Amino acid sequence: MGLSEVGYKDALTYKPTKNGLKLESEVDIPTCYDDAIMEHNLELNILVER
């Protein structure tokens, strides 16, 4: 049996945060196709230093 999603997220963000990197969670990024902005955004679980 594995960790919950929150447990994995904590494990993935621990080391970068410890090393001073800035993280953002649940970030919406506009999605474009053929020069048009799509109705739905791409949602990133973790974004490291934008």
Side-chain angles (χ1 to χ4, degrees):
M1 189 170 223
L3 295 173
S4 67
E5 184 177 341
V6 174
Y8 281 110
K9 184 177 175 184
D10 288 345
L12 285 171
T13 59
Y14 173 74
K15 199 77 158 190
T17 302
K18 183 179 175 186
N19 290 329
L21 295 174
K22 296 177 185 171
L23 304 178
E24 294 179 56
S25 297
E26 311 303 323
V27 179
D28 283 337
I29 303 294
T31 305
C32 299
Y33 177 75
D34 198 25
D35 296 327
I37 297 177
M38 300 291 102
E39 182 178 346
H40 297 93
N41 292 335
L42 173 67
E43 185 179 305
L44 302 178
N45 292 322
I46 300 170
L47 177 63
V48 181
E49 293 211 15
R50 187 185 287 233

